[in-house]
Each structure stands twice: as C-alpha cells, then as structure tokens.
Amino acid sequence: MAESRPELHRRHPELIATLPHLPLGAGPTPLTRLDGVGSRNRLWCKDDSGFGDGGWGGNKVRKLEWILPDVAGRGSRRILTVGALGTNWGLATALYAREQGVGTALALVDQPVDEHVRAQLVRLRESGATVHRTHTKARTIAFAPWLFVRHGFPYYLPAGGSTPIGTLGYVEAALELAAQVRRGEMPEPAAVVTAVGSGGTAAGLLLGLRLAGLRTRVVAVVVNDTLPLAERDLIGLARGTERLLRSRGARFGPLDLGSGSLIVTRRWLGRGYGHPTAEGFAAARVAVEAGLTLDPVYTAKAFAAALAFDAHPMFGDAPIVFVDTYGPR
Ligand SMILES: *Cc1c(COP(=O)(O)O)cnc(C)c1O
C-alpha cells in the first residue's frame, strides 16, 4: 500500500488543501549501505527503483504524484508530453495517467537505439499512449500547433515532467531522506548523487534538503546535452518550486539554494544523451554486485560519478548517497 500522508504535508499542513497529492508508490523508499562497494565503505543507496505500484517505477512516478492531481484539478482528460524514443517519463506518464482516466500523447525524438530502447518501445506501445515520432526537436516544435489541436488542447508537460509541480516529487524524497537521517538510519550524508536528464530530480533534492535543514550537497550528474542544465538552470527550477510552495501558502524562512550546495558536472556525459560510456558499463558491473540494476542512459553514468566522488578525498569519510532513479519491472 502506498503511504497516505507525504512528508511535505506532514511538515506543512497548510499545503494539504492547496497542493493535492496522489499516492502512487510506497515511501519511505529503502536507504541501504552498499557494503563492500567503493573505497571507504561509505556509499549508500536511496533506492527509488521500486517506487510505483503501476507497472513502471523510479523517479518519474514521484513527480506524477503531484502532477496528476493538477491535471485533474484543471479538468483535463489528456496529457501531451515529449521525450526521446526510450523515454521512461513518457511510459510512466502513460501508465499512471491511464489509471486516472487520462490519455497520453507522446512526441518522441530519436535516440541511439539499442536493446534497452527496443524493449522500451514495446512497453510504450502496450501502455495505450498515442506515439508521434517527430525525430528532432525542431520538428517537434514545428508540429506543436498540430499536436495541440489533434489532442484537443491537452495538458502540456515538458520533457521529464520537470515543472515546479513535478519537482515536488524530489522535494518529498529529500524530506523522506531527512526523516530517515533523523530516525538514525544513517548519519547526515555529505552529498546525494543523481543523474540529471531534465533537472527536476536534482532541483527537488536541493530544495528539499535545504527545507529540511540538512547541509547535504547535491551532485548533479548531467547525462543530457539537449536541454539547458547548467547550475543556474537547476537553481532556477528549485527557486521556481520554492515560489510555488510559498504561493500555495507554505510558511518557511529564507532558504540559501546557492553557496556551493549544488555541484553540476558533465564529466560523465560521454558523447551525449543516450550514448553509453565505458565508465558507465564498468560502474553498472560494480553495482550488480551490490544488487542494483542500472540503465546505460542515466543511472550507470551517475553511479560512475558516485564511485569517483567516493574515491576522492573532498568529502572526507562522510557518507555519500546514490539515488537509484531507474524503475524497470
Ligand atoms: C528521467 C530519469 C532521470 C533524470 O531525472 P530528471 O528529473 O529528468 O533530471 C534519472 N534516472 C532515470 C532512470 C530517469 O528515467
């Protein structure tokens, strides 16, 4: 059973009526030490791979917990969103929106096709989504008016669902992590490491950790070269989400979202979005020994970064948390 009351509502009851939440997965997700992995035995995993009750899991489901109530609140029966061929976001949207009686149309651009993408295309076909293969970003933009009319002026969501409302999913995950630290499940981590595809996960973690009063930094491992995902973009999204919370009545003091608490790196991107890297494959092999199944597009690259940060002295011996955002079934 999914949890009934999110941390965000527990801490800010003033948001219960103004920012509705639809439970789609079970929290808190496990926080486990990756024994024997890395150099100092201080790598942990916040395992969101099992988050989601509806046929696909991972980080996108957390975003949909806040997005789908907004879709319903606007009386919309159809979502239009975009992604690449192997889109985890499009699949999660199609599956969880369908449960709410909402249809999904997808405009998909090309990405390198491998086994992993082929399997995803089969799942997409079975999800009931209407798929338009627009091939390039330019053609997607050119076809946008046609798509809006064709689908009856749908609720539009950008790639990855990284709107301020979607970003609340990882504000919630960070508050969950902070509650786990408070309960003594682990000491306060020096950093959380996540893949960055559209930014909502990293921005939400940053905002949530600051809201919770932790000093934990966010290491944002950029795996997508087709969207603006620099530090200012991610901080901008976190600020936009902070404004959303305040506009819905949340009461909290000023937050410092800058000051080096976000570390953005493109070092593990390789040739670009969807192009696997040797470092990613090597990291995925290490992860298998710890019981993690990683994907080549996002989590393998982020885990490669986590291993490098673990081997480096910059965080001393303090714990580092890798967020497993990949939720295959
Ligand atoms: C989408 C995705 C990410 C990136 O999350 P964003 O919020 O889009 O930055 C990371 N891992 C997996 C498996 C994803 O599908």
Side-chain angles (χ1 to χ4, degrees):
M1 240 335 262
E3 97 278 28
S4 51
R5 177 79 83 84
E7 285 293 328
L8 191 59
H9 284 171
R10 237 181 278 230
R11 294 175 65 106
H12 294 282
E14 66 274 22
L15 293 173
I16 292 173
T18 58
L19 209 44
H21 171 258
L22 173 69
L24 299 174
T29 55
L31 189 58
T32 49
R33 191 200 291 264
L34 299 176
D35 281 315
V37 175
S39 58
R40 294 159 218 241
N41 210 32
R42 47 78 172 265
L43 273 176
W44 292 67
C45 178
K46 174 83 170 146
D47 187 0
D48 278 2
S49 66
F51 192 88
D53 304 324
W56 188 259
N59 68 335
K60 304 309 185 306
V61 185
R62 284 194 182 269
K63 299 178 181 187
L64 290 164
E65 289 195 324
W66 303 91
I67 289 171
L68 290 178
D70 194 55
V71 175
R74 286 162 201 261
S76 193
R77 311 293 298 167
R78 202 156 181 85
I79 290 170
L80 170 65
T81 189
V82 293
L85 279 184
T87 179
N88 296 326
W89 159 244
L91 179 62
T93 303
L95 293 172
Y96 289 90
R98 183 169 65 178
E99 284 180 3
Q100 305 303 314
V102 174
T104 298
L106 302 172
L108 302 185
V109 301
D110 294 333
Q111 89 176 72
V113 175
D114 54 13
E115 271 319 299
H116 156 84
V117 171
R118 263 189 288 274
Q120 193 73 341
L121 281 168
V122 173
R123 293 188 198 100
L124 278 170
R125 215 169 294 132
E126 290 166 355
S127 72
T130 305
V131 174
H132 302 278
R133 289 187 62 169
T134 46
H135 300 290
T136 66
K137 204 169 184 173
R139 276 172 51 93
T140 307
I141 293 166
F143 274 104
W146 182 88
L147 287 166
F148 271 88
V149 172
R150 159 80 173 74
H151 292 289
F153 293 86
Y155 185 108
Y156 175 73
L157 283 160
S162 288
T163 60
I165 289 186
T167 298
L168 293 175
Y170 273 81
V171 173
E172 174 65 18
L175 296 178
E176 215 180 88
L177 174 64
Q180 288 170 304
V181 168
R182 256 194 330 273
R183 285 198 294 272
E185 289 188 32
M186 76 175 295
E188 179 172 343
V192 296
V193 181
T194 182
V196 177
S198 65
T201 302
L205 287 170
L206 176 66
L207 176 58
L209 290 167
R210 295 297 86 81
L211 261 179
L214 295 189
R215 284 155 305 176
T216 305
R217 300 190 217 215
V218 175
V219 175
V221 184
V222 176
V223 303
N224 188 354
D225 54 337
T226 71
L227 290 174
L229 295 168
E231 179 182 319
R232 68 176 172 281
D233 303 302
L234 298 179
I235 291 179
L237 180 55
R239 292 224 167 92
T241 308
E242 177 188 359
R243 280 195 298 278
L244 168 72
L245 288 171
R246 293 191 196 279
S247 76
R248 299 293 173 98
R251 284 183 293 275
F252 53 87
L255 298 179
D256 182 5
L257 300 176
S259 308
S261 49
L262 176 67
I263 301 161
V264 182
T265 171
R266 296 166 68 91
R267 160 74 181 73
W268 283 271
L269 171 62
R271 282 177 49 220
Y273 180 74
H275 291 274
T277 60
E279 283 169 314
F281 281 130
R285 278 192 297 275
V286 172
V288 164
E289 286 161 38
L292 304 179
T293 304
L294 306 185
D295 76 294
V297 179
Y298 297 97
T299 46
K301 291 178 180 178
F303 195 64
L307 291 172
F309 278 88
D310 167 59
H312 195 276
M314 78 176 86
F315 294 133
D317 288 324
I320 295 173
V321 177
F322 165 71
V323 186
D324 187 357
T325 46
Y326 180 53
R329 288 291 187 277

